Amino acid sequence: MNLFIEGVIKKKQLKIGGIHILQRKIVSATISGTLFTVLLSLIEPNPFGKPINSTGEYLFAVVSIFTLYMMYTFPAILLYGVFTSIISDKVGEFISIKIKRKKAEFVVSAMLHVLFGLILRWFSLCASILFFSTDQIMKKRVRRYTWVEAISSLIISILMWMIASGALWLWET
């Protein structure tokens, strides 16, 4: 009977931990996804090859490509990144338990993040490394994130996209 109660408690702890992992991953994805989009926009403001001749043109290119990058990279990082990051962490956790080495969890998870990040070569690899780094920083804080924080982080990223889109609209009128 006692083993049964311990099993039920462990299942509930896993379920609760799983939910908090999802919330942390969503916050990590929104932070790293938005940061990745900003950095990519600053580094590659004109992927179509038209020359940029002034600071004004550069700023306009950065803001306009930010809206485009955000529409495509952010959902990919959010959906694919969260899913593969949870898998990477769980596989790393499983292996570290099996071989009885805590450090193996970090190493295996990092390697799987890199492996999953190679889907679009350097582009997604950079996003994957940024996601992993952000998530590790948040994990070290040993804090449980709430759904309000997860949804708020999504709303902040969407608001950034809306502000950039509005700035483009004002700039062009």
Side-chain angles (χ1 to χ4, degrees):
M1 185 73 159
N2 207 10
L3 288 174
F4 175 74
I5 292 171
E6 287 178 16
V8 170
I9 290 171
K10 283 184 180 180
K11 273 188 177 179
K12 288 194 181 238
Q13 287 173 340
L14 285 174
K15 188 174 182 184
I16 290 169
I19 290 172
H20 289 290
I21 288 171
L22 180 60
Q23 293 161 343
R24 187 187 78 230
K25 296 289 184 185
I26 290 171
V27 175
S28 296
T30 55
I31 290 169
S32 61
T34 304
L35 185 58
F36 176 74
T37 305
V38 168
L39 292 172
L40 186 61
S41 299
L42 292 169
I43 294 168
E44 188 64 47
N46 192 2
F48 306 113
K50 183 180 175 193
I52 298 174
N53 299 319
S54 68
T55 305
E57 285 181 14
Y58 174 76
L59 291 175
F60 181 76
V62 166
V63 173
S64 61
I65 204 66
F66 171 80
T67 59
L68 187 66
Y69 286 156
M70 192 73 156
M71 283 190 322
Y72 293 103
T73 62
F74 187 77
I77 292 169
L78 185 64
L79 298 173
Y80 179 76
V82 167
F83 179 71
T84 58
S85 183
I86 289 172
I87 290 171
S88 299
D89 285 357
K90 290 299 177 185
V91 169
E93 183 181 330
F94 175 78
I95 290 173
S96 74
I97 290 169
K98 286 293 182 190
I99 66 171
K100 295 180 175 103
R101 295 198 188 267
K102 183 68 178 153
K103 194 164 196 131
E105 181 178 348
F106 176 83
V107 172
V108 170
S109 181
M111 288 176 13
L112 288 173
H113 274 82
V114 167
L115 182 68
F116 285 127
L118 288 172
I119 191 169
L120 297 175
R121 296 192 179 107
W122 73 269
F123 184 77
S124 57
L125 180 61
C126 293
S128 176
I129 292 169
L130 186 58
F131 186 115
F132 179 72
S133 302
T134 304
D135 191 50
Q136 289 301 306
I137 290 167
M138 294 178 70
K139 188 177 183 179
K140 287 202 186 299
R141 292 179 67 194
V142 188
R143 182 174 174 274
R144 292 184 178 231
Y145 294 90
T146 65
W147 281 113
V148 171
E149 292 168 318
I151 301 301
S152 296
S153 66
L154 287 170
I155 290 171
I156 290 169
S157 294
I158 292 168
L159 283 174
M160 284 183 66
W161 177 79
M162 290 173 69
I163 290 168
S165 297
L168 282 177
W169 180 76
L170 287 173
W171 200 328
E172 291 180 347
T173 56

